[in-house]
Amino acid sequence: MAIADRPKSSSGDTKLFGLCPFWQSGNGASSTSSSTQNLNQPGYHTAAGSAAKSSASSPSAKTVSSVARSLLPARRRLRLDPHNHLYIPYEPGKQVRSAVRLKNTSRSHVAFKFQTTAPKSCYMRPPGGVLAPGESLIATVFKFVEQPESNSEKQAAGGMQKCRDKFKIMSLKVKGGMEYVPELFEEQKEQVTVERILRVVFLDPERPNAALEKLKRQLAEAEADLEARKNKPPAAETGPKVIGEGLVIDEWVRWLIYLIWKERREKYLARQQVGAAVDSS
């Protein structure tokens, strides 16, 4: 019985050392290669392999991947000019204007929306809209420049007050032909992309510079575009005309109404003639 028990324990030791080759000090390389061959045998599933498969298919792995995708920078749909700052002439006590050009660089229609940290003193025209692929426009920003309260709020150079106002421009992919409504950005928050946050920078109107000259050109172009849209004649209506609450009238329907009216009138006149003949008799 003692002789029979000895091989059994040796086989157990062999299995134990085969599974843990780094416990051996003599022939570690051969044990590692043999264990590697055993791992590569068909139909042999290791605990690490099954754990890897289960982790790949588990919801936690999907959650990690979704979080990783959310950390990646979103692909921008709009190109802004200027792209970092919003230049405004410094004229205290007056309402001044600035401008920024937006261009849709994507292959789909894009809705955009402005937000500002100073809604009481700033507003945008237009506050939002939809751009077709490749389409661009110049948005005008109006701001009332307040008087500086103290010298500490002024810059050391130029004597201009520092401005902390910012403008956030957001975009959303939409279908072609869809009209802009602000509720789109509330209904599809997950698809909204923050394109850029523009910081307001004051410019001295008494000191001409490249940024001020560019701003003047953009404002002139924005005014010309606004006048052209005002003077543009309305598009000719080729389809049926909608009147009232869903009543559709076109030429064919008018002709049908006329025939019905004519038939009823003829029947009415015929009854009138019959009634007059009976009364006379």
Side-chain angles (χ1 to χ4, degrees):
M1 293 299 293
I3 298 175
D5 293 336
R6 188 173 183 181
K8 184 176 182 180
S9 61
S10 63
S11 62
D13 295 339
T14 305
K15 291 182 179 180
L16 182 60
F17 278 89
L19 292 175
C20 303
F22 51 87
W23 287 355
Q24 301 180 14
S25 59
N27 52 355
S30 60
S31 300
T32 304
S33 60
S34 61
S35 61
T36 305
Q37 293 177 359
N38 293 332
L39 293 176
N40 294 331
Q41 289 180 359
Y44 189 88
H45 301 280
T46 61
S50 59
K53 292 182 180 179
S54 60
S55 62
S57 59
S58 61
S60 60
K62 297 180 180 179
T63 305
V64 172
S65 61
S66 61
V67 172
R69 286 194 299 268
S70 64
L71 295 177
L72 294 176
R75 184 178 181 182
R76 304 189 186 278
R77 307 182 181 102
L78 301 176
R79 180 186 301 163
L80 277 62
D81 184 23
H83 63 280
N84 282 330
H85 300 94
L86 194 65
Y87 298 103
I88 294 180
Y90 182 69
E91 299 181 17
K94 296 182 181 180
Q95 187 181 54
V96 295
R97 297 180 301 162
S98 182
V100 57
R101 182 187 295 274
L102 289 79
K103 183 177 182 180
N104 182 5
T105 57
S106 67
R107 298 181 181 179
S108 60
H109 287 69
V110 173
F112 67 90
K113 181 182 178 181
F114 281 94
Q115 283 187 348
T116 178
T117 57
K120 295 182 178 180
S121 61
C122 303
Y123 70 93
M124 290 68 64
R125 187 182 66 188
V130 177
L131 295 175
E135 185 180 4
S136 64
L137 64 81
I138 297 179
T140 307
V141 179
F142 297 83
K143 175 176 173 57
F144 179 79
V145 181
E146 299 179 356
Q147 296 283 354
E149 297 180 358
S150 61
N151 293 332
S152 61
E153 295 181 354
K154 298 181 181 180
Q155 282 186 341
M160 291 186 295
Q161 183 182 5
K162 294 182 180 180
C163 186
R164 297 180 180 179
D165 299 342
K166 296 179 181 179
F167 289 83
K168 181 167 65 174
I169 303 177
M170 300 176 293
S171 68
L172 176 65
K173 181 180 177 180
V174 296
K175 296 181 180 179
M178 179 179 294
E179 296 184 358
Y180 169 78
V181 288
E183 291 75 15
L184 285 173
F185 289 82
E186 296 295 332
E187 297 173 355
Q188 306 180 28
K189 290 182 179 180
E190 298 179 355
Q191 284 75 31
V192 174
T193 300
V194 177
E195 292 289 337
R196 191 75 66 175
I197 297 179
L198 304 178
R199 184 172 61 88
V200 174
V201 175
F202 283 132
L203 297 176
D204 189 354
E206 302 298 331
R207 298 180 180 179
N209 53 69
L212 185 62
E213 295 299 326
K214 184 177 181 179
L215 174 59
K216 292 180 180 180
R217 291 195 300 268
Q218 287 185 335
L219 290 174
E221 187 176 348
E223 289 295 329
D225 183 59
L226 180 62
E227 291 296 328
R229 281 188 278 125
K230 287 182 178 179
N231 300 328
K232 185 178 180 180
E237 297 182 359
T238 57
K241 186 178 180 181
V242 179
I243 302 177
E245 297 181 358
L247 180 60
V248 181
I249 298 179
D250 56 11
E251 295 298 329
W252 183 85
V253 176
R254 290 177 181 177
W255 176 249
L256 182 61
I257 293 175
Y258 170 74
L259 292 179
I260 296 175
W261 173 82
K262 183 179 180 181
E263 183 180 1
R264 290 182 177 180
R265 180 173 176 78
E266 290 177 353
K267 290 181 179 180
Y268 173 77
L269 293 176
R271 287 197 300 268
Q272 291 291 333
Q273 292 178 358
V274 171
V278 171
D279 293 339
S280 62
S281 62

